[in-house]
Amino acid sequence: MAIDKETVRRIAFLSRLRVEDDKIEAVENEFNKILNWVEQLKEVDTESVEPLISVNENHLILRKDEVTEGNQAEAVLANAPMKEYGYFAVPKVVE
């Protein structure tokens, strides 16, 4: 699949990017290089490769979800610069 100048303009329009007319050809070449690289990747044999879930081999240790200290709303709000009705209050940012 090759990208032409009109396709570059369409992609630029859809992605809300401004591509100057003198840069269209350079972008077209870059897109075509990327597509050629993707075509090369399709040629790689991955049949015997297991899907990779994570690049890290670390396994997270799960713990039981238990409430150890609760009902401390007053302590949590003690240093709040503004509070109202037991909640943090913040200045209005949208009119």
Side-chain angles (χ1 to χ4, degrees):
M1 174 181 184
I3 300 284
D4 59 354
K5 289 177 179 54
E6 200 52 44
T7 306
V8 171
R9 286 187 182 95
R10 178 96 173 121
I11 291 170
F13 173 76
L14 291 173
S15 57
R16 305 293 191 258
L17 297 173
R18 180 178 38 201
V19 179
E20 303 297 332
D21 289 337
D22 59 334
K23 304 284 186 194
I24 295 276
E25 191 170 333
V27 174
E28 176 187 354
N29 290 335
E30 287 297 317
F31 279 160
N32 283 319
K33 284 181 188 177
I34 292 168
L35 290 175
N36 288 335
W37 182 71
V38 170
E39 289 299 320
Q40 286 179 358
L41 286 178
K42 287 182 180 179
E43 295 173 6
V44 176
D45 179 25
T46 59
E47 286 297 318
S48 61
V49 179
E50 285 187 42
L52 183 65
I53 295 173
S54 174
V55 294
N56 296 327
E57 291 294 326
N58 299 339
H59 298 287
L60 296 176
I61 299 171
L62 301 178
R63 61 176 170 77
K64 200 170 187 178
D65 192 12
E66 297 174 346
V67 176
T68 54
E69 295 179 31
N71 297 326
Q72 296 194 15
E74 289 300 319
V76 170
L77 292 172
N79 292 323
M82 294 174 25
K83 54 189 166 194
E84 194 172 301
Y85 305 112
Y87 297 99
F88 289 99
V90 296
K92 188 175 182 178
V93 294
V94 178
E95 295 296 326

